[in-house]
Amino acid sequence: KSNYFKKSFTYFAGVRFDVIQNGNSPNRYIWIHGDEQTAKMALEYHLENYGGTAFMIQNEKREISYKSTIVDPNRIFSRSGAYHALRKFKPGWAKGTLKKALDELDVDRTKFLDLLMPSKEAILISVHNNFRGYNIENEREKSQRISIKKGQDLRDFFLCTNENDYNILENGPFNVVLQNKLPDKDNDGSLSWEALRRNVRYINVETRLGYLSKQKKMLDYIVKYLN
């Protein structure tokens, strides 16, 4: 168990992230959707027991307020993704205002990612929960490899961008999907594609909302077998 916590904070797209460091593990973690509370609890437990640096969003809903609209914070990690995200809830923008918002996000994003991204050897781990039927099959088309385990719920899975990590996880008890080929156009704007562009090892630990012990076990598995 690590035993010291360093706390600071940063901002991205106008929303605060608490940055909590425990011990010397080079791994970085992010909790980005405020309504995914199981993921938050799993990450807090994991950080206390294994160490690392976690970026925790200070927001209670899935979307954050930005300018005169709301956006999903995990859809603005590319300019193209941000364009679609900003127009989702507000299709009409006054002339010039959308470009200005996108330009500001470009600057903001670079600053935030330079803080968030780990060293090349370490892993960036995001924690997510689903509660609308989303599952590993939704990722099949965008994936290069997929491994579904007997008796494992399709809504609980790892998504990784590094083939070596996939090879190890494939031999474990949990569902896993590999996405190590960038799409032609990143209209999605998710953090996983940005990590892949930067050649950073990225893993999303995705479970059903409420399945805390499952998410803890999956986080535990990464640290035990991948470092």
Side-chain angles (χ1 to χ4, degrees), residues 28 112-119 124 191 194-195 198 200:
R28 298 295 178 90
F112 182 70
L113 288 168
D114 287 348
L115 279 178
L116 173 69
M117 290 293 169
S119 60
L124 173 60
L191 183 58
E194 177 59 25
R198 289 175 177 238
V200 165

Side-chain angles (χ1 to χ4, degrees), residues 2 4 21-27 50-52:
S2 306
Y4 72 87
Q21 184 190 347
N22 185 28
N24 299 315
S25 166
N27 287 343
Y50 296 94

Side-chain angles (χ1 to χ4, degrees), residues 58-72:
Q58 300 304 296
N59 189 57
E60 287 174 10
K61 299 184 174 120
R62 183 180 185 82
E63 282 87 14
I64 59 170
S65 297
Y66 188 69
K67 301 294 182 189
S68 50
T69 185
I70 55 170
V71 289
D72 180 332

